[in-house]
């Protein structure tokens, strides 16, 4: 599993909006500039977040985007699943996947299932508020 720029940028956008929420609606160009993300790329990410009520947008003068919830109420896992799709490490564990013919004999299925649980539990245990509070060290 590799998280794409779409998922990583969506998280950066959400953190940016959270950190600047006191300013009301934040223009997309301001987010793009602060995050060093092309405006064209943001134009693909923000509508997905808005359509799913993660953010709210207003057009025109004084317009922009803002969060619809508190930063503590956004789980990283939900944002990644929205932007990346299923986080399953193998196709047979993806949501809605056809049952695998080999599942009953598969020696690795339990390993992949456990890994899938670890991934989802880990990302669902981190919020945007957590990311705002942590220093930028690996």
């Amino acid at each position: 599993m590799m998280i794409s720029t779409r998922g990583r940028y969506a998280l950066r956008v959400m953190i940016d909006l959270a950190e600047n929420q006191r300013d009301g609606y934040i223009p997309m160009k301001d987010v793009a500039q602060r995050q060093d993300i092309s405006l064209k790329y943001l134009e693909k990410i923000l509508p997905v977040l808005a359509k799913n009520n993660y953010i709210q947008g207003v057009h025109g003068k004084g317009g922009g985007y803002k969060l619809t919830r508190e930063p503590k109420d956004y789980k990283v896992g939900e944002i990644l699943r929205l932007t990346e799709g299923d986080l399953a490490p193998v196709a047979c564990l993806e949501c809605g996947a056809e049952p695998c013919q080999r599942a009953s004999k598969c020696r690795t299925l339990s390993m992949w299932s456990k890994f899938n649980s670890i991934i989802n539990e880990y990302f669902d245990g981190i919020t945007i508020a957590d990311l705002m509070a942590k220093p930028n060290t690996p």
Side-chain angles (χ1 to χ4, degrees):
M1 172 192 63
M2 169 115 44
I3 304 298
S4 72
T5 54
R6 182 181 177 109
R8 294 190 330 261
Y9 287 1
L11 290 172
R12 286 172 50 190
V13 165
M14 296 295 286
I15 294 165
D16 188 283
L17 292 175
E19 289 176 337
N20 294 286
Q21 64 186 344
R22 68 191 171 287
D23 298 332
Y25 288 95
I26 311 296
M28 191 176 357
K29 65 178 177 48
D30 292 356
V31 176
Q33 184 177 24
R34 278 192 298 267
Q35 295 301 317
D36 195 26
I37 301 171
S38 84
L39 195 54
K40 199 166 203 70
Y41 203 91
L42 277 186
E43 289 171 351
K44 294 178 182 176
I45 296 172
L46 292 174
V48 172
L49 295 170
K51 178 183 170 196
N52 289 278
N53 283 336
Y54 287 57
I55 60 175
Q56 179 181 357
V58 172
H59 297 287
K61 186 175 168 102
Y65 291 89
K66 69 177 186 175
L67 300 180
T68 57
R69 300 180 263 171
E70 291 298 314
K72 68 178 178 56
D73 296 327
Y74 291 97
K75 294 178 181 178
V76 167
E78 69 179 319
I79 296 165
L80 289 177
R81 283 186 291 275
L82 177 67
T83 56
E84 296 290 323
D86 203 311
L87 298 176
V90 291
C92 63
L93 293 177
E94 289 179 346
C95 187
E98 291 290 322
C100 178
Q101 302 278 335
R102 295 187 35 79
S104 64
K105 298 176 256 180
C106 182
R107 300 257 176 120
T108 61
L109 182 58
S110 64
M111 173 188 69
W112 294 124
S113 294
K114 175 79 173 162
F115 185 53
N116 188 47
S117 293
I118 291 168
I119 290 168
N120 283 284
E121 287 171 19
Y122 177 74
F123 286 131
D124 286 338
I126 303 169
T127 67
I128 293 299
D130 294 331
L131 295 177
M132 292 169 66
K134 291 185 179 174
N136 293 332
T137 57

